[in-house]
Structure formats: structure tokens, C-alpha cells
Amino acid sequence: MHGFYIYAVTAMLLFCLGLWGLASHKNLLRKIVALNVMAGGVFLLFISIANPDQSGQVDPVPQAMVLTGIVVAISLTAFALFLTRRIHEKTGHAELDTSCSIEDEDG
């Protein structure tokens, strides 16, 4: 049971580190990386839940959820990077700024 607590605390620290990075940075790339760190913490927590007592009986549901989550996280990261690139092309920078507005190229 000791290993479960180590993984659970590490997962919580990863999630909190990603949350701090998400809240403290304006750069969109850093926000995307922070979201991926948060996702890594959630995945680690699910994997630690799959076998908390080290008895050899592994619950396959959390493992399937982690595999599905990894596929979704990769897809959403690619989409977020695409959007960040488009924002950089339109505005010249990739930071969140509420005073900046994106206008159409036609007008």
C-alpha cells in the first residue's frame, strides 16, 4: 500500500504544478505544456488506482481509461498547437492578451 501513496502524492503534485503553470503564464505554448503535465498527473493517479494493494489482481478499467485519455490528449494537443500557430500568424505573438483582437483579413 506504500507504493500507492507515493504514486498518488506524485500525481497530485504533477496536477498542482500543471495548474500553477496554467494560471501563471500568458504564453499559449506554456499553457499547452501545463495542460499536458496536468493530464500526466491524472493518468498516473488512474494507473495507481488500478492496483492499489499490489495483490496481482489488476483492474483493467482504469488502464483502458488511461489509454483512451492518452489518445485524446495527443489529439487535443495537436489541435491546440494548430490554433496557437494560427493565432501567432494573425497577431504576431502567442500570448493571451485581452486588449488584442483578431480581425478578418478582408476587412
Side-chain angles (χ1 to χ4, degrees):
M1 200 71 160
H2 181 66
F4 169 73
Y5 290 121
I6 292 173
Y7 287 126
V9 169
T10 305
M12 188 171 51
L13 288 174
L14 276 174
F15 188 84
C16 290
L17 181 67
L19 189 62
W20 173 78
L22 187 66
S24 65
H25 295 291
K26 287 187 176 183
N27 191 327
L28 292 175
L29 276 176
R30 290 185 182 197
K31 286 186 178 284
I32 292 169
V33 170
L35 282 172
N36 283 328
V37 170
M38 287 174 63
V42 172
F43 297 153
L44 182 61
L45 181 66
F46 279 152
I47 290 297
S48 66
I49 289 171
N51 192 10
D53 57 358
Q54 305 296 330
S55 66
Q57 300 275 339
V58 179
D59 186 9
V61 174
Q63 292 179 356
M65 290 176 65
V66 168
L67 288 174
T68 304
I70 289 171
V71 171
V72 170
I74 289 172
S75 302
L76 289 178
T77 300
F79 185 65
L81 289 173
F82 169 75
L83 290 178
T84 301
R85 184 174 174 197
R86 292 286 298 205
I87 289 171
H88 180 69
E89 288 175 357
K90 296 280 185 180
T91 64
H93 55 84
E95 293 183 356
L96 288 181
D97 188 10
T98 56
S99 64
C100 174
S101 64
I102 300 173
E103 296 184 15
D104 291 336
E105 294 175 0
D106 298 334

